[in-house]
Amino acid sequence: MPFDFKKEYRDLYQPKAKPALVEVPPMHFLAVEGAGDPNEAGGAYQHALELLYGVAYTLKMSYKTDRAIPGFFQYVVPPLEGFWWQPGVAGVDYANKAGFHWVSAIRVPEFVGEDDFAWAIETATAKKKLDFSPVRLVGVDEGLCVQCMHVGSYDDEPATVAAMHEYAQANGYVPDFSEVRRHHEIYLSDPRKADPAKLKTVVRHPVRKA
């Protein structure tokens, strides 16, 4: 049975619909950085997803090629994630989607090294005939956060975020946004197929002791 990060790390991918604190361990991601409205048809965000999934599935299926990655085990590609910010804004302003800056990301197992990543970029480029150079292999260490499962439209997230901040404050914590600690979303539903009212998204914000 392929390793499934969502099932093995339920505290990170299946939180309750009530805010809670979580200590997030360091992880490795495939990542593409960009800016602009994620809903723009054929825009930078949509292109970033095409690049991410192209490399993610190249790595996942490497065992069917002559590429032997040390420590490899079969796994389910983890869900798409996004780190979001806007200059001068603590968190994000949902009414100003055109002003979004983002890093779209997909987690990869720890056995994926720089050489394996370079191989995947080269292999995906040859197969898809696309420029995969915007994709990076990065480490992220979020640390202490408050998180919650948001069920519903992305535009309804402000109510969930407000509840998260109220919970954090009641427990002696304050938001701790920075150049490396961002508004974070993990997408457990496919918005192309799911009812918007039933979309499941993990929303996570960095915090520190007040």
Side-chain angles (χ1 to χ4, degrees):
M1 184 72 68
F3 186 91
D4 190 333
F5 288 88
K6 297 192 304 298
K7 294 180 179 179
E8 298 297 330
Y9 299 102
R10 298 185 66 85
D11 57 328
L12 300 177
Y13 297 99
Q14 301 290 335
K16 296 180 180 179
K18 293 183 178 180
L21 294 170
V22 61
E23 186 71 35
V24 184
M27 304 179 195
H28 290 166
F29 290 88
L30 302 174
V32 176
E33 183 171 344
D37 188 340
N39 297 321
E40 179 186 355
Y45 183 79
Q46 300 299 325
H47 182 58
L49 302 193
E50 183 179 14
L51 299 181
L52 284 174
Y53 280 108
V55 179
Y57 277 93
T58 298
L59 287 166
K60 169 186 166 61
M61 303 305 293
S62 64
Y63 71 97
K64 291 191 173 183
T65 72
D66 58 2
R67 179 72 183 187
I69 299 178
F72 180 90
F73 53 80
Q74 293 192 43
Y75 62 96
V76 177
V77 171
L80 178 69
E81 308 192 27
F83 299 87
W84 301 83
W85 71 97
Q86 291 153 314
V89 177
V92 293
D93 175 6
Y94 291 83
N96 180 24
K97 292 183 174 63
F100 277 142
H101 291 248
W102 39 262
V103 172
S104 291
I106 296 176
R107 185 178 180 179
V108 292
E110 299 303 308
F111 58 67
V112 175
E114 291 288 350
D115 289 345
D116 307 308
F117 170 70
W119 168 85
I121 292 291
E122 181 180 353
T123 302
T125 299
K127 182 177 181 180
K128 301 287 187 179
K129 308 304 181 186
L130 294 173
D131 177 13
F132 285 90
S133 63
V135 184
R136 298 285 184 266
L137 179 64
V138 301
V140 177
D141 187 0
E142 284 189 279
L144 184 64
C145 296
V146 60
Q147 70 177 11
C148 187
M149 179 71 79
H150 171 75
V151 180
S153 168
Y154 302 132
D155 289 337
D156 295 334
E157 283 184 14
T160 296
V161 168
M164 289 164 50
H165 286 195
E166 290 173 5
Y167 172 86
Q169 183 177 20
N171 286 274
Y173 296 87
V174 294
D176 190 30
F177 295 106
S178 71
E179 293 298 313
V180 295
R181 307 189 79 202
R182 310 288 196 184
H183 172 95
H184 185 181
E185 300 180 357
I186 304 174
Y187 308 105
L188 303 179
S189 305
D190 186 341
R192 300 169 300 176
K193 302 175 182 178
D195 179 346
K198 297 180 180 179
L199 290 173
K200 289 186 176 182
T201 308
V202 180
V203 181
R204 188 179 292 160
H205 278 188
V207 294
R208 60 175 173 78
K209 271 289 189 181

